[in-house]
Amino acid sequence: MSIVYLNGQFLPRAEAKLSVDERGFFFGDGVYEVTRVVRGRLFEWDRHARRLARGLRELRIDAGLSLDGIGALHERVVAENRMTEGQGTVYLQVTRGAAPRTHHFPPAGTPATVFLSATPFVPPNELRARGVAVVTYPDYRWTRCDLKTVNLLPAVMAKQFATDHGAFEAVFLRDAVVTEGSHTNVFGVIGGEVRTYPNSNYVLPGVTRDVVVELAREMGIPVSETPIYRHEIAQLEECFLSGTTSDVMPVVAIDGAPVGTGKPGAITMRLYEALARRLAAASGTAAPATVVA
Ligand code: PDD
């Protein structure tokens, strides 16, 4: 039985109960983070914490806890679930709390709802070796995609469309531009240059995305935060997704057409290996094989 944190208490998951007046339930009025855990250690927590803080500030939600306090809760939920070996993820959700339903904010002093859980995670390495297919889907989302809110209906519809079509991910097209995936950022290689949509209100500033851009720069791989246009999809030499639960995932087909050779690309795999080394280093293990195996 997994142990979760809810509003001040650690308790078995089945015993954690929310009010029907929860604003997350009525309005999707909250933010979340999914943080990777490797051998009991949080990966890139500082970046998650910065993104969380920005989201809370923009939405004017007072979590009632400091960022350090939220970080400590992450560590505690990992420990409570004895996740000292292998890998996992921690899910955090902070909403504006429970109050009678009104669109405007609830009365001052209404405590936020804070929830954390920890789940074992096995990286999808077999899938990575083959690469995945994706389908394009209209980007029906609002124009604050930079905020990691729990309003995920467009992402749910898009991912289900992908699932219905036997694809791993749906890649959003806003007008004629690739923005990101339903739960990943999207990269392409054209003319040897790695490209991804610039951080702006149209995409989530992915933690993995930012690490990958940093790694590419360190490795001397040309990288540009420039959008990929729909008409350039056919010219992609390589394509990959990035995300906490995907790492770097090669894309070998888009809407049924092969990308490049139809196999995971060389630049993609170099970036994946660099990320795997970063994950291993964060866990305090010397050998990346313990992470990538
Ligand atoms: N999703 N873009 C979107 C729309 C996302 O929802 C996510 C993450 C990403 C990748 O961000 P990061 O590298 O920080 O995980 C990009 C999480 C994992 C989820 O919804 O489960």
Side-chain angles (χ1 to χ4, degrees):
M1 168 66 79
S2 77
I3 301 294
V4 303
Y5 171 89
L6 181 63
N7 296 338
Q9 273 186 296
F10 285 90
L11 70 180
R13 189 174 189 101
E15 287 172 28
K17 302 277 191 264
L18 286 169
S19 163
V20 292
D21 287 327
E22 168 55 46
R23 289 183 66 96
F25 175 52
F26 283 144
F27 299 111
D29 189 357
V31 291
Y32 75 108
E33 284 294 328
V34 182
T35 302
R36 186 75 163 269
V37 180
V38 184
R39 292 180 170 247
R41 301 236 198 130
L42 301 170
F43 182 64
E44 297 288 341
W45 165 247
D46 289 352
R47 290 181 199 255
H48 285 281
R50 276 201 297 277
R51 183 169 69 187
L52 171 69
R54 180 170 175 274
L56 290 169
R57 195 170 58 241
E58 294 277 312
L59 297 174
R60 297 162 59 193
I61 294 174
D62 177 4
L65 289 161
S66 66
L67 280 186
D68 283 351
I70 294 174
L73 289 178
H74 276 69
E75 280 168 4
R76 172 94 186 268
V77 82
V78 167
E80 292 285 341
N81 288 282
R82 296 188 166 69
M83 247 183 223
T84 46
E85 290 305 315
Q87 300 203 42
T89 55
V90 174
Y91 179 83
L92 163 76
Q93 183 167 324
V94 181
T95 78
R96 210 181 302 275
R101 184 179 182 278
T102 60
H103 282 71
H104 60 74
F105 293 174
T110 302
T113 298
V114 180
F115 170 75
L116 287 96
S117 63
T119 313
F121 173 73
V122 179
N125 290 331
E126 277 175 30
L127 215 49
R128 185 170 1 263
R130 292 194 302 271
V132 297
V134 303
V135 285
T136 55
Y137 192 82
D139 197 340
Y140 292 130
R141 300 173 304 165
W142 70 338
T143 51
R144 289 308 305 274
C145 299
D146 53 316
L147 301 176
K148 199 163 173 58
T149 81
V150 291
N151 265 285
L152 289 172
L153 196 48
V156 167
M157 298 310 289
K159 176 75 187 203
Q160 186 57 40
F161 179 82
T163 305
D164 290 344
H165 290 82
F168 175 79
E169 176 64 304
V171 166
F172 286 124
L173 281 173
R174 193 177 283 273
D175 301 324
V177 176
V178 173
T179 49
E180 62 182 328
S182 75
H183 67 300
T184 55
N185 292 103
V186 178
F187 289 74
V189 181
I190 301 181
E193 181 183 64
V194 177
R195 272 160 57 178
T196 192
Y197 200 92
N199 275 337
S200 67
N201 57 310
Y202 291 114
V203 291
L204 186 80
V207 166
T208 322
R209 173 205 183 277
D210 292 352
V211 170
V212 166
V213 168
E214 207 171 274
L215 289 170
R217 292 199 172 118
E218 278 170 29
M219 293 161 80
I221 296 172
V223 57
S224 168
E225 297 183 59
T226 303
I228 298 159
Y229 292 87
R230 194 210 316 253
H231 70 267
E232 294 178 307
I233 290 177
Q235 302 160 25
L236 288 173
E237 291 141 25
E238 299 184 25
C239 181
F240 64 90
L241 310 170
S242 73
T244 295
T245 52
S246 305
D247 293 330
V248 164
M249 179 60 79
V251 172
V252 294
I254 303 176
D255 291 334
V259 175
T261 60
K263 299 231 168 70
I267 295 174
T268 302
M269 293 315 286
R270 277 178 67 202
L271 288 170
Y272 165 67
E273 278 149 24
L275 177 65
R277 281 194 293 275
R278 183 79 92 93
L279 279 155
S283 80
T285 54
T290 55
V291 166
V292 296

